[in-house]
């Protein structure tokens, strides 16, 4: 009869019945009961109530029953640590049992019980098992040391277990050696600087001796350990390679890849003129080829590793091109990977073969594969110059098929071929232009526009072609818009008389009608270039382009070196270093190949002083006579008379704030830029008819401003020391009834420039809470925890604990509604709980938010009046000095104070963490408890939140 009967019981009082059976005198009945308990545990029922009864069953000679009880114990020891201590005596006894299987079972289970209280009782039994006469027990004990080290590293070091492990490397049994190496490697990974595996020629010799006799996984552990060794010279390197080479013929693909990793690393130290070097290259090819006859998943892993090997040493597989030809029944992921390797191995010798294959692939049915095949033809043309002509004619044949996606891919790669071989294959442009209407993918449209712009002088109707794209300019992707802008400017510089309307139209669309900062910036640069110096414009825009390199997708050399050291691991499949995907990555070491360590790393850092000097210089402006604030404050703003030419328009101004979600500096041009006007003549007068490029601001901020300004901005009088930053009182964010007894109340504070999320966690449940962690959803200002939630002690029932979590503002950004909403997930040992709270925007006011006086005036003028919001703050009884004082504590800086007819007017600035500036005018009238605040900002969405913070700061 099978064991399925244990899963089918539905009687009432099941736990009670099991309890009775577990305490039965009959051994068979006892065993049946334990099986039922394990069955219930497996399907997820809670049978922890039976802990003491199951533990009593440990006292038995029956190995099967003992294994079942140990299985139960491993599962429930963590939730019942006090009860688990009852089992300690049995472990100690079992570790001295005459049967080595029972001794090993006891020590293995001890390692799996992750309970701190028990670990100290287990040291003696473990010490005995590490020196046991039976190798099976020793190898199990070696792994147990690594598990114990994970629970309590200090204890393992104090008890001297690490030294015992090192001694086991000299053990006579190869499996014990392999497990000792595995355990030491595991411990060394979490303590990278400990130098536990002190590898020397004697140790290496012992490992190589054990290598031939241990199991396949033991071999992998030893090979991975060898890969971390750096030989003293090429002779030692060759000797190790000779002893590792037989592993290449192993049946297990993991052993083969580990051996390849060791050989790839040690080959770096062998001189290339050595006979053995050539022999080794030949020996490496067959095992790699054999891996490709395995099932598809293994093939894929092998191909990803081969991709790295081929980039480092293409000569290993240069004669094996046919192995990488695609089979009709290969899955798509294998096909794409094979294609990649084919291109890497393409050379003059085999290019005809490769092209014939690729042309076949381009007529397949799988769209992704066909696209990659067409791209591959283009890459071959760029890589092997002699094949370029044949590749171009193949691509033209494919374009004639009129299959939409084939045509589009072909156009993208022909653009690259033009870049590599200028003035050679331009005769095909006519064929490309015939297919213009069928292009619907951004990359293909952008490529075609580039071709038309680059060869505009050879295409009679280039202006018509580009104009056809311009009709739906705003519906195009950014990539196409940028390419179209550049292409039309190129066309204008080549045929100025015929295309002036077209260039005016595209510059107007790019600068005035677009909200994409990249497009606007490029538009303004072209506009200024054309209007100030057409000759320079020609030199910049029509400059000779560098040829593109043959391999643009090669992995960067230092990363490739690191990945070669990780062959056979996940890193070699992802093509990313372990630090990029191992969470926490506390023990991830960056590995390098021996011959090339330290190469090319001494890049001189630029002089920090020079860069800092540029960044720190404050921008300077002289406001114009009609300045809004200038009139309001009735100041004498006439600039001092100067001789010499007027200042040039400044384009690098830092006045504009970032857009709300940190997308870059808003253009300072506003909507007041003059339209392009005049008729454009050819030649040198070409730029003369342009309305001067819209000037940002007058360019010299630093000129002294006379008279009243100095007095007005003298803030010394009457403004005392600022008070502390405002922090709202704590509120309940997560009520206990919604979080299984966990209550969280909190607030936000800003201290010494760091935003703190201050929480009180209260346990209103009956059980202890541990393992707290916290995570935020994306939010408007990129708030994210700057470190883990530090709650180091368990939270007992009816206990509260204070926690302060520092926050950074470099997390992912997404606009929230309301703007300052924050969605939070808190995890503990019970469950994951979700809540949302709102932070006051004043937490985001940074310490360098005090604007220069003149900059303030200019910026106020520059921000459109539509962006101004006015609010009333009621029932506030503070003097203007007290207001200024209070706000400065929260990084709201008063730039100027002026009294008009008994009313104090404070001009203030603040800057948010993402670079947005907010300017304020606050009117305070003596005896009137109602204040008026006017806010101006490039991102008017924040004004409401800023007003709410003003109100909260002044009233608390």
């Amino acid at each position: 009869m099978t064991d399925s009967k244990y899963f089918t019981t539905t009687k009432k009082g099941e736990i009670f019945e099991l309890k009775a059976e577990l305490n039965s005198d009959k051994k068979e009945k006892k065993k049946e009961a334990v099986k039922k308990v394990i069955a219930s545990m497996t399907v997820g029922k809670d049978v922890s109530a039976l802990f003491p009864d199951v533990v009593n069953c440990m006292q038995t000679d029956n190995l099967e029953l003992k294994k079942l009880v140990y299985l139960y114990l491993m599962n429930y020891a963590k939730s019942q640590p006090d009860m688990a201590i009852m089992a300690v005596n049995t472990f100690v006894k079992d570790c001295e049992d005459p049967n080595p299987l029972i001794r090993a079972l006891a020590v293995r289970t001890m390692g799996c019980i992750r309970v701190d209280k028990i670990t100290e009782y287990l040291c003696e039994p473990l010490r005995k098992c590490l020196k046991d006469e039976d190798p099976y027990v020793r190898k199990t004990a070696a792994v147990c040391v690594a598990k114990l080290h994970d629970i309590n590293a200090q204890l393992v070091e104090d008890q001297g277990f690490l030294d015992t492990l090192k001694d086991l490397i000299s053990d006579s049994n190869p499996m014990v050696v392999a497990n000792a190496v595995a355990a030491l490697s595991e411990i060394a990974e979490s303590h990278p600087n400990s130098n536990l595996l002190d590898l020397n020629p004697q140790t290496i010799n012992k490992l190589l001796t054990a290598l031939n006799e241990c199991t396949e996984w033991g071999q992998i552990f030893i090979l991975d350990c060898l890969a971390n060794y750096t030989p003293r010279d090429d002779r030692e390197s060759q000797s190790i390679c000779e002893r590792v080479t037989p592993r290449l013929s192993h049946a297990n693909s993991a052993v083969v890849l580990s051996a390849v990793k060791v050989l790839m690393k040690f080959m770096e130290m062998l001189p290339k003129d050595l006979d053995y070097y050539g022999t080794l290259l030949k020996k490496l090819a067959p095992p790699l080829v054999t891996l490709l006859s395995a099932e598809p998943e293994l093939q894929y892993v092998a191909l990803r590793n081969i991709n790295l090997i081929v980039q480092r040493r293409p000569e290993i597989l240069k004669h094996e091109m046919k192995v990488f030809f695609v089979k009709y029944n290969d899955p798509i992921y294998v096909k794409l990977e094979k294609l990649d390797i084919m291109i890497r191995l393409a050379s003059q010798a085999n290019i005809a073969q490769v092209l014939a294959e690729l042309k076949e692939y381009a007529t397949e049915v799988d769209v992704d594969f066909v696209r990659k095949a067409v791209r591959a033809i283009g890459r071959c043309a760029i890589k092997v110059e002699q094949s370029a002509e044949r590749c171009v004619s193949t691509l033209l044949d494919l374009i004639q098929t009129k299959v939409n996606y084939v045509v589009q891919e072909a156009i993208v790669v022909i653009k690259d071929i033009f870049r590599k071989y200028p003035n050679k294959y331009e005769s095909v442009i006519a064929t490309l232009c015939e297919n213009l209407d069928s292009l619907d993918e951004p990359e293909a449209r952008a490529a075609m526009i580039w071709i038309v712009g680059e060869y505009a002088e050879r295409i009679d109707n280039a202006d018509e072609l580009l104009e056809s794209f311009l009709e739906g300019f705003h519906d195009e992707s950014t990539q196409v818009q940028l390419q179209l802008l550049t292409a039309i400017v190129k066309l204008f510089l080549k045929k100025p008389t015929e295309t002036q309307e077209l260039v005016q139209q595209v510059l107007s669309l790019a600068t005035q009608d677009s909200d994409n900062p990249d497009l606007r910036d490029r538009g303004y640069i072209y506009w200024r270039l054309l209007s100030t110096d057409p000759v320079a414009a020609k030199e910049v825009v029509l400059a000779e382009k560098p040829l593109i390199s043959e391999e643009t997708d090669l992995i960067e050399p230092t990363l490739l070196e690191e990945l070669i050291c990780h062959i056979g691991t996940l890193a070699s499949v992802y093509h990313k270093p372990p630090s990029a995907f191992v969470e926490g990555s506390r023990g991830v070491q960056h590995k390098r190949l021996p011959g090339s360590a330290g190469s090319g790393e001494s890049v001189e850092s630029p002089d920090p002083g020079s860069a800092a000097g540029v960044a720190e210089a404050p921008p300077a402006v002289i406001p114009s006579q009609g300045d809004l604030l200038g009139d309001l404050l009735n100041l004498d703003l006439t600039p001092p008379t100067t001789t010499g030419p007027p200042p040039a328009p400044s384009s690098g101004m830092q006045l504009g704030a970032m857009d709300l979600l940190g997308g870059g500096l808003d253009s300072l041009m506003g909507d007041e830029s003059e339209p392009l006007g005049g008729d454009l003549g050819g030649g040198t007068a070409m730029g003369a008819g342009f309305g001067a490029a819209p000037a940002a601001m007058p360019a010299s901020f630093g000129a002294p401003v006379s008279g009243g300004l100095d007095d007005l901005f003298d803030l010394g009088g009457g403004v005392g020391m600022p008070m502390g930053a405002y922090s709202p009182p704590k509120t309940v964010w997560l009520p206990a009834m919604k979080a299984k007894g966990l209550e969280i109340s909190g607030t936000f504070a800003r201290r010494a420039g760091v935003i703190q999320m201050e929480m009180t966690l209260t346990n209103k449940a009956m059980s202890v809470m541990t393992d707290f962690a916290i995570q935020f959803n994306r939010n408007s200002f990129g708030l994210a925890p700057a470190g883990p939630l530090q709650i180091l002690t368990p939270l007992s029932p009816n206990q509260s604990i204070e926690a302060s979590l520092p926050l950074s503002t470099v997390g992912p950004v997404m606009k929230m509604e309301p703007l300052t909403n924050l969605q939070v997930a808190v995890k503990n040992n019970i469950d994951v709980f979700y809540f949302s709270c709102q932070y006051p925007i004043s937490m985001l006011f940074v310490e360098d938010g005090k604007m220069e006086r003149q900059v303030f005036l200019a910026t106020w003028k520059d921000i459109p009046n539509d962006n101004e919001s006015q609010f009333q703050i009621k029932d506030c009884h503070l003097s203007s000095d007290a207001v200024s004082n209070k706000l400065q504590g929260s990084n709201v800086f008063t730039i100027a104070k002026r009294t008009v007819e008994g009313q104090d007017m404070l001009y203030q600035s603040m800057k948010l963490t993402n670079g947005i500036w907010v300017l304020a005018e606050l009117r305070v009238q003596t005896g009137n408890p109602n204040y008026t605040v006017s806010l101006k900002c490039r991102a008017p969405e924040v004004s409401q939140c800023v007003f709410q913070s003003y109100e909260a700061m002044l009233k608390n």
Side-chain angles (χ1 to χ4, degrees):
M1 190 174 177
T2 67
D3 285 350
S4 60
K5 60 182 180 178
Y6 304 116
F7 291 85
T8 54
T9 177
T10 53
K11 293 177 193 167
K12 285 186 178 174
E14 199 177 350
I15 297 283
F16 181 78
E17 287 176 16
L18 286 172
K19 204 180 185 84
E21 287 177 28
L22 287 168
N23 293 315
S24 162
D25 297 334
K26 295 179 182 166
K27 282 188 179 177
E28 272 311 304
K29 206 167 184 184
K30 220 178 226 186
K31 191 158 93 179
E32 292 288 301
V34 174
K35 283 188 176 181
K36 285 179 191 171
V37 171
I38 298 292
S40 299
M41 180 178 90
T42 309
V43 295
K45 289 183 187 169
D46 182 12
V47 282
S48 57
L50 296 168
F51 200 94
D53 306 284
V54 176
V55 169
N56 286 338
C57 299
M58 281 173 80
Q59 315 283 348
T60 175
D61 301 330
N62 184 317
L63 189 61
E64 187 186 3
L65 181 55
K66 207 175 260 298
K67 278 184 178 174
L68 290 168
V69 174
Y70 279 177
L71 195 63
Y72 176 89
L73 208 60
M74 281 189 261
N75 198 41
Y76 283 116
K78 196 161 189 183
S79 58
Q80 307 260 356
D82 298 332
M83 303 291 278
I85 291 183
M86 291 164 51
V88 166
N89 286 335
T90 315
F91 281 136
V92 174
K93 216 163 88 183
D94 282 356
C95 285
E96 294 175 2
D97 195 276
N99 183 345
L101 290 176
I102 290 182
R103 296 203 297 274
L105 181 64
V107 80
R108 180 185 293 119
T109 311
M110 277 162 34
C112 294
I113 295 179
R114 304 178 63 81
V115 177
D116 277 340
K117 288 182 182 174
I118 295 184
T119 47
E120 55 205 64
Y121 296 107
L122 305 184
C123 294
E124 266 327 297
L126 180 58
R127 186 176 281 107
K128 284 179 186 167
C129 288
L130 281 166
K131 298 203 162 88
D132 198 281
E133 61 194 24
D134 192 286
Y136 181 73
V137 181
R138 292 201 301 276
K139 86 176 180 70
T140 311
V143 176
C144 185
V145 174
K147 290 179 178 172
L148 191 60
H149 188 275
D150 195 35
I151 304 167
N152 191 337
Q154 196 56 49
L155 182 73
V156 171
E157 286 161 28
D158 296 345
Q159 293 284 341
F161 288 146
L162 295 180
D163 295 328
T164 318
L165 263 189
K166 288 179 190 170
D167 295 342
L168 287 181
I169 289 180
S170 312
D171 199 278
S172 56
N173 185 291
M175 265 321 296
V176 177
V177 176
N179 278 20
V181 167
L184 283 169
S185 302
E186 179 85 13
I187 294 169
E189 262 183 25
S190 58
H191 291 66
N193 304 322
S194 58
N195 196 21
L196 284 174
L197 271 163
D198 183 18
L199 296 174
N200 53 44
Q202 291 74 33
T203 319
I204 293 297
N205 198 29
K206 288 171 189 165
L207 294 182
L208 287 165
T209 308
L211 185 63
N212 299 320
E213 297 169 41
C214 57
T215 65
E216 49 198 19
W217 293 110
Q219 292 181 29
I220 292 166
F221 291 136
I222 291 176
L223 287 166
D224 287 350
C225 179
L226 286 172
N228 293 329
Y229 177 61
T230 307
R232 291 167 306 175
D233 53 28
D234 54 342
R235 280 182 61 183
E236 188 184 1
S237 193
Q238 182 176 339
S239 153
I240 294 172
C241 288
E242 282 168 355
R243 294 177 71 177
V244 168
T245 309
R247 299 299 108 217
L248 292 173
S249 52
H250 200 285
N252 185 323
S253 49
V255 176
V256 174
L257 281 177
S258 290
V260 169
K261 169 168 66 183
V262 175
L263 295 172
M264 284 291 289
K265 184 172 177 183
F266 290 177
M267 275 171 81
E268 295 288 331
M269 297 191 68
L270 297 176
K272 296 200 173 173
D273 51 1
L274 198 69
D275 290 345
Y276 180 70
Y277 181 83
T279 315
L280 196 54
L281 284 180
K282 285 179 191 153
K283 282 184 179 173
L284 275 169
L288 292 173
V289 169
T290 308
L291 290 177
L292 296 182
S293 53
E295 52 267 35
E297 293 81 4
L298 280 179
Q299 275 188 57
Y300 178 71
V301 173
L303 285 164
R304 292 293 278 174
N305 281 280
I306 288 170
N307 200 329
L308 297 173
I309 293 164
V310 165
Q311 286 184 55
R312 185 75 192 168
R313 298 200 180 282
E315 62 270 27
I316 293 176
L317 289 161
K318 65 180 177 189
H319 301 305
E320 305 290 345
M321 176 64 88
K322 281 193 173 167
V323 185
F324 300 104
F325 286 175
V326 170
K327 299 190 180 89
Y328 74 95
N329 59 348
D330 279 340
I332 181 67
Y333 54 88
V334 171
K335 285 179 175 177
L336 295 177
E337 208 54 44
K338 281 184 172 178
L339 256 185
D340 218 22
I341 295 168
M342 278 170 68
I343 299 158
R344 296 203 193 289
L345 291 175
S347 64
Q348 207 173 329
N350 57 24
I351 193 72
Q353 224 182 355
V354 173
L355 273 180
E357 275 290 307
L358 292 176
K359 196 170 178 183
E360 280 297 310
Y361 301 162
T363 57
E364 290 267 345
V365 288
D366 193 314
V367 177
D368 285 341
F369 181 52
V370 172
R371 284 175 181 280
K372 185 120 182 188
V374 176
R375 293 235 167 170
I377 295 171
R379 280 174 62 188
C380 286
I382 290 165
K383 187 174 181 189
V384 185
E385 190 168 347
Q386 293 78 357
S387 74
E389 200 155 325
R390 189 184 290 171
C391 291
V392 171
S393 64
T394 306
L395 289 169
L396 285 175
D397 292 347
L398 292 172
I399 288 175
Q400 298 307 336
T401 63
K402 300 290 181 194
V403 178
N404 187 285
Y405 54 86
V406 175
V407 173
Q408 307 209 59
E409 287 296 332
I411 286 176
V412 172
V413 295
I414 286 175
K415 180 197 87 169
D416 288 341
I417 293 173
F418 284 171
R419 285 283 310 274
K420 176 74 175 173
Y421 309 111
N423 305 320
K424 208 167 178 185
Y425 301 108
E426 280 72 24
S427 53
V428 306
I429 291 176
T431 316
L432 302 183
C433 290
E434 288 167 17
N435 294 281
L436 205 74
D437 299 335
S438 65
L439 307 181
D440 54 14
E441 290 170 15
E443 200 175 358
R445 288 171 78 84
M448 191 66 226
I449 291 167
W450 181 87
I451 291 170
V452 174
E454 189 66 17
Y455 300 103
E457 69 277 12
R458 305 182 188 201
I459 305 171
D460 298 335
N461 61 338
D463 51 345
E464 287 170 29
L465 296 177
L466 292 176
E467 198 165 1
S468 66
F469 284 104
L470 206 54
E471 286 160 14
F473 186 77
H474 288 304
D475 302 327
E476 299 284 7
S477 71
T478 307
Q479 182 183 8
V480 177
Q481 289 177 332
L482 288 165
Q483 203 57 266
L484 191 53
L485 172 62
T486 303
I488 290 177
V489 171
K490 284 180 184 172
L491 174 66
F492 172 71
L493 290 167
K494 291 173 181 179
K495 303 179 180 178
T497 47
E498 303 155 38
T499 53
Q500 68 178 58
E501 275 184 33
L502 192 61
V503 79
Q504 285 186 7
Q505 195 182 346
V506 76
L507 286 175
S508 174
L509 284 168
T511 54
Q512 292 174 29
D513 303 348
S514 168
D515 56 1
N516 181 311
D518 291 343
L519 187 62
R520 278 208 315 259
D521 288 353
R522 190 182 290 191
Y524 279 123
I525 287 170
Y526 285 151
W527 194 327
R528 290 201 177 105
L529 268 172
L530 293 171
S531 60
T532 52
D533 191 347
V535 179
K538 210 161 191 170
E539 284 173 8
V540 170
V541 181
L542 301 180
E544 199 170 309
K545 287 157 200 64
L547 301 183
I548 59 174
S549 67
E550 56 180 58
E551 289 285 9
T552 48
D553 61 337
L554 282 176
I555 293 176
E556 189 265 325
T558 48
L559 174 59
L560 181 62
E561 283 186 15
E562 187 173 352
L563 293 177
I564 292 285
C565 296
H566 289 292
I567 283 177
T569 68
L570 258 183
S572 67
V573 179
Y574 286 155
H575 287 188
K576 290 179 180 174
S579 53
F581 59 87
V582 177
E583 211 169 281
S585 60
R586 62 194 170 100
V588 174
Q589 285 173 284
H590 292 282
K591 300 183 179 180
R592 298 289 294 275
L593 293 174
S596 50
S599 58
E601 301 235 329
S602 60
V603 179
E604 276 189 49
S605 61
D607 172 25
S610 57
V614 174
E616 293 301 316
V621 71
I622 307 166
S624 61
Q625 190 67 48
D627 189 316
L628 170 86
L629 256 185
D631 290 345
L632 176 74
L633 303 176
N634 196 16
L635 298 174
D636 174 15
L637 290 173
T638 333
T641 53
T642 54
T643 53
S650 150
S651 59
M653 314 278 285
Q654 290 294 321
L655 285 184
M658 284 177 131
D659 68 32
L660 180 61
L661 300 182
L665 285 170
D666 272 12
S667 160
L668 295 173
M669 311 312 161
D671 290 322
E672 299 160 31
S673 45
E674 296 174 32
L676 290 165
D679 33 313
L680 299 171
T684 51
M686 189 165 63
F690 270 77
M697 295 264 156
S700 159
F701 273 29
V705 180
S706 58
L709 204 60
D710 293 332
D711 307 333
L712 170 70
F713 287 111
D714 176 16
L715 292 181
V719 179
M721 290 298 291
M723 303 174 184
Y726 162 69
S727 175
K730 281 188 179 173
T731 52
V732 175
W733 287 339
L734 181 68
M737 59 189 291
K738 286 190 178 176
K740 299 183 181 176
L742 173 65
E743 181 181 281
I744 300 179
S745 55
T747 182
F748 294 87
R750 187 178 182 94
R751 293 200 188 86
V754 179
I755 305 167
Q756 301 280 355
M757 184 179 190
E758 303 197 326
M759 292 174 282
T760 304
L761 288 82
T762 306
N763 182 356
K764 296 191 174 178
M766 301 302 291
S767 55
V768 175
M769 295 181 181
T770 56
D771 304 335
F772 284 93
I774 193 165
Q775 205 166 357
F776 294 175
N777 196 359
R778 293 189 294 172
N779 52 79
S780 305
F781 293 93
L783 283 182
L789 182 58
Q790 297 284 358
I791 297 177
L792 303 174
T793 53
L795 186 56
S796 306
N798 297 319
Q799 187 192 351
S800 291
I801 202 163
E802 300 288 334
S804 188
L805 178 70
L807 306 183
S808 71
T809 51
V810 292
V813 169
M814 178 175 76
K815 189 173 179 181
M816 300 296 286
E817 199 56 59
L819 203 59
T820 56
N821 194 24
L822 183 63
Q823 295 174 341
V824 184
V826 170
K827 175 186 135 323
N828 63 11
N829 59 325
I830 296 169
D831 206 345
V832 180
F833 309 107
Y834 302 92
F835 64 88
S836 62
C837 56
Q838 286 188 38
Y839 48 92
I841 202 165
S842 57
M843 294 302 125
L844 306 174
F845 295 166
V846 295
E847 283 64 25
D848 63 344
K850 186 165 185 176
M851 219 178 226
E852 289 290 317
R853 305 163 182 181
Q854 299 93 326
V855 179
F856 182 90
L857 292 172
T859 310
W860 185 283
K861 176 207 168 184
D862 191 53
I863 297 174
N865 288 345
D866 297 347
N867 286 19
E868 185 172 352
S869 311
Q870 204 167 68
F871 304 95
Q872 290 284 322
I873 300 173
K874 296 185 175 174
D875 301 324
C876 205
H877 302 273
L878 295 169
S879 68
S880 58
D881 287 349
V883 166
S884 178
N885 223 353
K886 199 163 201 178
L887 293 176
Q888 189 161 342
S890 295
N891 296 335
V892 177
F893 297 98
T894 303
I895 310 295
K897 173 188 167 188
R898 179 161 182 267
T899 306
V900 179
E901 296 173 3
Q903 183 171 252
D904 287 341
M905 296 166 85
L906 301 175
Y907 297 99
Q908 298 172 320
S909 72
M910 60 224 87
K911 181 180 167 190
L912 300 181
T913 48
N914 62 355
I916 293 176
W917 283 95
V918 183
L919 310 188
E921 177 196 76
L922 182 65
R923 299 178 190 183
V924 180
Q925 190 154 18
T926 315
N928 183 353
N930 298 342
Y931 303 166
T932 306
V933 61
S934 301
L935 298 171
K936 254 193 164 189
C937 177
R938 291 188 181 281
E941 300 96 319
V942 304
S943 296
Q944 180 67 35
C945 300
V946 173
F947 158 65
Q948 288 164 356
S949 275
Y950 255 81
E951 203 168 35
M953 289 185 286
L954 292 177
K955 288 188 175 181
N956 288 289

